[in-house]
Amino acid sequence: MVAGAAPARYSRAVHGQAGVRMARKKRLKIALIGYGAISQTLFDVFAEKKPAIDVVGVLVRSGRAKATQKKVGRKVAVVESLKALLKLKPDVVVEAASQQAVRDWGETILEKGIDLMVIATGAYGDPKLYKKHIKAAEKSGARLRLPSGAIAGLDGLLAMRLGKLERVKYVSIKPPHAWTGTPAETEFDLPSIKEPTVIFRGKPADAGRLYPKNANLAVTVALCGAGLQRTDIELVADPTLPAGTNASRLEIVGDSGEINLQRLGRSMPDNPKTGVLTALTPWPTT
């Protein structure tokens, strides 16, 4: 999903088929916020793109630059401030850190006319923040990009919302241990769960706020469809899932028909809260 009406900055002045070919040959410059499991996967993904996508910099927390520099190599700048990151003049900044990073830096990036891809879309459970970022993107000509993440079917949802949506429900299903460090840990004895158990039932904004590392997609689904107040969310702890996987279900009913979509995907080896597909979807197009 892309917000903001202006074309991408790196292809804005290109016209005709010859111009399109030239735009495709230009190497895209990406800057990353955060260097966790998603960013590490993106390094490999971008290197395999043809032409390759250049990661020009990574923004990390204070005190982590030295260790991160050893991992990414000398060709990639590792910085500890947004100002230093923007000096690298990226075409796109990919937020792969946290909802707080979106709140702290999203507006500034967009105001500079730089495209912003947001992974922690749960931050937009705050409609005021979302509207502020949309306004900044429209004013500068930048694009606010919301990738589909570890789900499929959002294309159908976007089409169906042009008609009348009667019901939209998103269900996120992960093994019990993936919900550690969340409110579910205090409300349930997670290691003792023996069958699929609903640990949260409510609206997207609350899911994104209470489960910021697990339920960002709840808000993405809402923004693509019926909105924050008319989308139902369930979070499920399921010990019967195959090892190393998580799952989701998207249920849509509208005047144009119905969609019932189930997904089973591999989770990040070092982060069971996140699916591998999350890191594979935020590919900026050229």
Side-chain angles (χ1 to χ4, degrees):
M1 178 180 178
V2 180
R9 190 164 64 89
Y10 39 85
S11 61
R12 184 170 296 146
V14 177
H15 303 280
Q17 290 301 315
V20 170
R21 287 194 294 271
M22 288 177 64
R24 288 175 178 170
K25 290 180 180 179
K26 182 177 179 180
R27 294 172 72 97
L28 193 63
K29 295 192 297 182
I30 299 288
L32 301 172
I33 298 178
Y35 192 70
I38 292 175
S39 288
Q40 291 171 36
T41 301
L42 287 177
F43 263 84
D44 297 332
V45 170
F46 291 157
E48 294 174 1
K49 290 280 285 181
K50 295 188 182 304
I53 295 175
D54 293 325
V55 179
V56 296
V58 182
L59 172 58
V60 297
R61 293 179 184 176
S62 179
R64 295 189 178 182
K66 187 175 181 180
T68 304
Q69 192 73 71
K70 291 181 179 179
K71 295 177 181 178
V72 302
R74 296 181 179 179
K75 293 184 179 180
V76 179
V78 179
V79 300
E80 296 184 349
S81 72
L82 180 63
K83 184 177 180 180
L85 191 74
L86 297 184
K87 282 185 176 180
L88 301 172
K89 297 183 178 180
D91 297 306
V92 183
V93 173
V94 178
E95 173 280 315
S98 66
Q99 293 180 18
Q100 190 60 50
V102 180
R103 288 188 285 266
D104 289 345
W105 299 319
E107 186 176 10
T108 299
I109 294 167
L110 292 167
E111 286 177 339
K112 296 292 185 181
I114 298 172
D115 288 8
L116 172 64
M117 181 166 286
V118 173
I119 306 297
T121 54
Y124 294 138
D126 177 358
K128 291 182 180 180
L129 180 70
Y130 185 58
K131 290 178 182 178
K132 185 184 294 185
H133 285 188
I134 291 292
K135 185 177 180 179
E138 290 176 342
K139 186 175 181 179
S140 71
R143 282 185 171 184
L144 173 59
R145 300 171 178 267
L146 309 184
S148 57
I151 195 175
L154 293 185
D155 54 344
L157 177 57
L158 285 165
M160 289 181 69
R161 77 175 184 178
L162 297 178
K164 181 181 179 181
L165 286 172
E166 298 172 11
R167 183 169 67 89
V168 179
K169 182 178 180 180
Y170 170 67
V171 183
S172 177
I173 308 164
K174 299 179 182 181
H177 70 274
W179 301 103
T180 56
T182 74
E185 194 171 31
T186 60
E187 298 175 17
F188 299 86
D189 183 4
L190 294 176
S192 298
I193 292 178
K194 303 300 181 185
E195 59 185 19
T197 302
V198 177
I199 60 170
F200 172 89
R201 183 180 285 113
K203 295 302 178 183
D206 292 328
R209 175 176 56 84
L210 295 171
Y211 297 85
K213 295 182 179 180
N214 297 77
N216 286 295
L217 263 175
V219 173
T220 303
V221 170
L223 294 177
C224 287
L228 293 169
Q229 299 303 317
R230 296 181 54 239
T231 303
D232 297 319
I233 304 298
E234 284 187 3
L235 307 180
V236 178
D238 186 354
T240 69
L241 286 171
T245 68
N246 53 41
S248 63
R249 189 166 67 249
L250 183 61
E251 303 170 7
I252 311 167
V253 178
D255 60 359
S256 60
E258 299 184 12
I259 291 177
N260 287 280
L261 190 149
Q262 298 187 62
R263 179 198 64 86
L264 178 68
R266 188 161 60 89
S267 57
M268 290 279 190
D270 299 327
N271 183 6
K273 300 178 186 295
T274 301
V276 170
L277 190 58
T278 301
L280 300 181
T281 52
W283 289 14
T285 56
T286 56

